[in-house]
Amino acid sequence: MKKLLSLMVIVVNSFCIAQNVDLSQFTLSNPSSPAFVLVEETPTAIYTPDNFKALALHALDNFGESFSIEATPYFLINQESKNRTYQKYIGVTKNDSGELKQNPFSGLKTTTISLAYVDKEFNGLADERKTYSIGARTTLLRFYNKEKVHKNTEAMATALSNIVVPQSVLIQGEEAIQNYYNEKQDEINALLKPFEKTIKPIFRLDAAAGYSTMFKENSISSGTADRIGAWLTSETSLILNEGSDAKTNNYFNLFVTARYIEDGFNMNTNEDFFTTYYRDFGGKIDFEFGKLTFGYEYISRNGTFNSERSVGNISYSINKDISISGGFGKDFSVTDDNLLTIFGIHWGLNTGNSKVKL
């Protein structure tokens, strides 16, 4: 009987403790938002973020004049669902026969909605215009190394099983067990620390769209000009230090993007606004060394006017919630070189419930 009771304690203990993994402990990887990308005020125009935060805030170097907020509804709604598991969030689970299977559409959970406000300079306009944007982004497809993800999940479960709920707490019921778990949250996070190395999808495909508007004369009565756009971005990631005991996984990432834009933010010599049409094609490579990432992106713009964007990027994660980024190079322009030097800071907030069951 004692052996049976001990076994029950271990099983219940493992279930109760392992049922909550706080995704907010994973590092923010969200260097921009679609709302920012559409108005071309961002250090990088090509990115596919891992959305482990309920909210992400982005500010550029002209603080107070360029600001964006991006929300992930998955972490803000249906927070008590018993179907929220780490395995299902990643999309790697076992079927009834114990075989690993992958849901390539699991990235739809990372869908975000973003809003942005920018005081922006435009070609042909003497002063800045207050510009407002809304955007949305989702991951259409993503494929992981199933065995690697499963191995990491099992390692997390094994680490969490080292926390034993006293029998005196177990017999008090679920509420007492949950309170005990909450008291041990710091210890649990410490146990999970070795398994928070970024496991990136081998391949992913993101889709994004946005709408932006500005008042032509910076007043409501002056009427508006609009810009809309939609784009696809793919990312292929190769780990550079496979099998290493390093604290981080280092990656080589290759991005390819295609965009369509209708741009009404143009003024001719008669000070009349008109719309231009563009198709953008480009790519980006970056090297991700733990907290530090170096990259270069090139986008060719064809349409009403032809132009290009050639920008080097650098980003650094100060901690799991805050990162900074910079872009240096040549932005889109048809009149001059339009040199770009832009700095951004990004915060990930844990508003809502970012916990899932293991």
Side-chain angles (χ1 to χ4, degrees), residues 146-162:
K146 294 182 293 185
E147 289 72 23
K148 184 179 296 183
V149 169
H150 180 64
K151 182 180 179 180
N152 194 63
T153 304
E154 284 190 324
M156 284 194 289
T158 300
L160 290 174
S161 67
N162 292 327

Side-chain angles (χ1 to χ4, degrees), residues 71-244:
T72 309
Y74 176 79
F75 293 124
L76 299 173
I77 61 177
N78 199 22
Q79 297 179 13
E80 303 304 321
S81 171
K82 298 184 182 298
N83 203 36
R84 291 161 61 99
T85 67
Y86 177 77
Q87 293 94 327
K88 288 185 177 179
Y89 178 82
I90 294 296
V92 176
T93 58
K94 283 188 174 182
N95 58 22
D96 295 338
S97 61
E99 296 178 338
L100 289 175
K101 63 177 183 178
Q102 183 157 198
N103 176 11
F105 307 109
S106 63
L108 293 172
K109 298 184 182 71
T110 69
T111 299
T112 70
I113 299 172
S114 55
L115 301 171
Y117 163 77
V118 178
D119 275 351
K120 182 174 175 60
E121 294 180 355
F122 294 94
N123 291 331
L125 302 183
D127 53 1
E128 294 180 340
R129 293 292 191 271
K130 299 184 186 304
T131 307
Y132 306 88
S133 299
I134 184 171
R137 189 205 63 81
T138 193
T139 298
L140 298 177
L141 297 169
R142 66 180 182 186
F143 297 92
Y144 285 91
N145 182 315
K146 294 182 293 185
E147 289 72 23
K148 184 179 296 183
V149 169
H150 180 64
K151 182 180 179 180
N152 194 63
T153 304
E154 284 190 324
M156 284 194 289
T158 300
L160 290 174
S161 67
N162 292 327
I163 296 181
V164 178
V165 179
Q167 185 176 348
S168 59
V169 175
L170 286 173
I171 62 178
Q172 294 179 50
E174 184 177 345
E175 183 176 350
I177 295 172
Q178 187 61 50
N179 289 337
Y180 182 84
Y181 162 76
N182 291 336
E183 292 173 0
K184 294 287 185 178
Q185 189 63 58
D186 290 341
E187 185 177 343
I188 291 168
N189 290 339
L191 287 171
L192 290 177
K193 194 69 177 176
F195 312 106
E196 292 173 7
K197 295 166 87 172
T198 301
I199 299 180
K200 297 175 72 71
I202 299 172
F203 175 83
R204 64 188 290 174
L205 178 66
D206 279 22
Y211 168 80
S212 183
T213 188
M214 72 170 177
F215 296 108
K216 295 179 179 180
E217 301 299 332
N218 273 343
S219 64
I220 296 177
S221 60
S222 64
T224 61
D226 307 308
R227 176 186 285 178
I228 62 173
W231 56 97
L232 294 172
T233 304
S234 69
E235 178 184 12
T236 301
S237 298
L238 301 175
I239 191 167
L240 298 175
N241 58 339
E242 187 73 56
S244 169

Side-chain angles (χ1 to χ4, degrees), residues 288-299:
E288 186 177 332
F289 301 105
K291 294 183 176 182
L292 188 63
T293 301
F294 299 94
Y296 168 76
E297 64 187 55
Y298 176 84
I299 302 175

